[in-house]
Tab-separated table of all heavy atoms in Angstrom:
chain	number	residue	atom	x	y	z
A	19	ALA	N	2.419	-43.371	-62.429
A	19	ALA	CA	2.275	-43.097	-60.967
A	19	ALA	C	3.419	-43.874	-60.255
A	19	ALA	O	3.850	-44.966	-60.729
A	19	ALA	CB	0.896	-43.506	-60.461
A	21	VAL	N	4.622	-44.902	-55.886
A	21	VAL	CA	4.348	-44.917	-54.573
A	21	VAL	C	5.566	-44.935	-53.673
A	21	VAL	O	6.451	-45.864	-54.043
A	21	VAL	CB	3.388	-46.079	-54.108
A	21	VAL	CG1	3.053	-46.076	-52.560
A	21	VAL	CG2	2.104	-46.098	-54.863
A	31	GLY	N	13.366	-27.821	-46.060
A	31	GLY	CA	14.502	-26.988	-45.559
A	31	GLY	C	14.302	-25.559	-45.858
A	31	GLY	O	14.909	-24.715	-45.165
A	33	THR	N	11.334	-23.819	-45.611
A	33	THR	CA	10.665	-23.179	-44.523
A	33	THR	C	11.405	-23.135	-43.236
A	33	THR	O	11.370	-22.100	-42.532
A	33	THR	CB	9.356	-23.935	-44.328
A	33	THR	OG1	8.605	-24.083	-45.552
A	33	THR	CG2	8.474	-23.493	-43.216
A	37	ASP	N	12.243	-19.399	-41.654
A	37	ASP	CA	11.824	-19.191	-40.363
A	37	ASP	C	12.783	-18.808	-39.424
A	37	ASP	O	12.763	-17.805	-38.600
A	37	ASP	CB	10.930	-20.450	-39.893
A	37	ASP	CG	9.686	-20.618	-40.468
A	37	ASP	OD1	9.172	-19.700	-41.134
A	37	ASP	OD2	9.072	-21.684	-40.167
A	44	GLU	N	14.249	-10.427	-36.986
A	44	GLU	CA	13.238	-9.703	-36.114
A	44	GLU	C	13.811	-9.452	-34.670
A	44	GLU	O	13.669	-8.353	-34.145
A	44	GLU	CB	12.051	-10.580	-36.055
A	44	GLU	CG	10.952	-9.850	-35.256
A	44	GLU	CD	10.500	-8.559	-35.951
A	44	GLU	OE1	10.402	-8.445	-37.181
A	44	GLU	OE2	10.393	-7.497	-35.194
A	54	PRO	N	21.771	1.018	-29.687
A	54	PRO	CA	22.266	1.618	-31.014
A	54	PRO	C	23.426	0.807	-31.562
A	54	PRO	O	23.529	0.734	-32.712
A	54	PRO	CB	22.707	3.003	-30.492
A	54	PRO	CG	21.867	3.253	-29.197
A	54	PRO	CD	21.763	1.969	-28.529
A	117	THR	N	19.225	-15.521	-71.869
A	117	THR	CA	18.781	-14.709	-70.797
A	117	THR	C	18.711	-13.284	-71.120
A	117	THR	O	17.806	-12.553	-70.784
A	117	THR	CB	19.628	-15.023	-69.524
A	117	THR	OG1	19.616	-16.405	-69.251
A	117	THR	CG2	19.085	-14.272	-68.283
A	191	ALA	N	12.118	-26.875	-66.398
A	191	ALA	CA	12.148	-26.256	-67.733
A	191	ALA	C	13.090	-26.882	-68.711
A	191	ALA	O	13.204	-26.483	-69.797
A	191	ALA	CB	12.562	-24.764	-67.496
A	216	TYR	N	18.503	-16.926	-52.185
A	216	TYR	CA	16.996	-16.693	-52.145
A	216	TYR	C	16.388	-16.465	-50.884
A	216	TYR	O	15.612	-15.663	-50.522
A	216	TYR	CB	16.325	-17.815	-52.883
A	216	TYR	CG	16.116	-17.578	-54.332
A	216	TYR	CD1	16.983	-17.581	-55.280
A	216	TYR	CD2	14.744	-17.254	-54.756
A	216	TYR	CE1	16.736	-17.271	-56.711
A	216	TYR	CE2	14.503	-16.959	-56.129
A	216	TYR	CZ	15.431	-17.003	-57.074
A	216	TYR	OH	15.158	-16.696	-58.348
A	238	ALA	N	23.520	-7.727	-41.862
A	238	ALA	CA	23.386	-8.882	-41.002
A	238	ALA	C	22.912	-10.122	-41.778
A	238	ALA	O	23.376	-11.197	-41.604
A	238	ALA	CB	22.344	-8.682	-39.870
A	242	TRP	N	24.820	-13.553	-42.535
A	242	TRP	CA	24.252	-14.943	-42.386
A	242	TRP	C	24.451	-15.863	-43.604
A	242	TRP	O	24.763	-17.004	-43.420
A	242	TRP	CB	22.681	-14.771	-42.040
A	242	TRP	CG	22.017	-16.061	-42.188
A	242	TRP	CD1	21.886	-17.004	-41.201
A	242	TRP	CD2	21.443	-16.614	-43.330
A	242	TRP	NE1	21.128	-18.048	-41.589
A	242	TRP	CE2	20.839	-17.849	-42.967
A	242	TRP	CE3	21.206	-16.160	-44.626
A	242	TRP	CZ2	20.203	-18.669	-43.979
A	242	TRP	CZ3	20.594	-16.906	-45.532
A	242	TRP	CH2	20.105	-18.213	-45.244
A	246	ALA	N	26.286	-19.341	-43.762
A	246	ALA	CA	25.526	-20.663	-44.228
A	246	ALA	C	26.312	-21.312	-45.342
A	246	ALA	O	26.517	-22.533	-45.478
A	246	ALA	CB	24.209	-20.320	-44.610
A	280	ALA	N	22.061	-18.734	-61.705
A	280	ALA	CA	21.400	-17.566	-61.640
A	280	ALA	C	20.748	-17.156	-62.842
A	280	ALA	O	19.734	-16.398	-62.866
A	280	ALA	CB	22.444	-16.533	-61.055
A	286	TYR	N	13.419	-17.995	-65.367
A	286	TYR	CA	12.256	-18.582	-64.763
A	286	TYR	C	11.424	-17.495	-64.174
A	286	TYR	O	10.250	-17.379	-64.303
A	286	TYR	CB	12.719	-19.567	-63.721
A	286	TYR	CG	11.503	-20.192	-62.931
A	286	TYR	CD1	10.968	-21.349	-63.382
A	286	TYR	CD2	10.990	-19.683	-61.791
A	286	TYR	CE1	9.808	-21.902	-62.697
A	286	TYR	CE2	9.910	-20.174	-61.199
A	286	TYR	CZ	9.392	-21.339	-61.647
A	286	TYR	OH	8.267	-21.887	-60.937
Side-chain angles (χ1 to χ4, degrees):
V21 179
T33 303
D37 285 351
E44 186 59 47
T117 304
Y216 259 76
W242 166 87
Y286 179 88

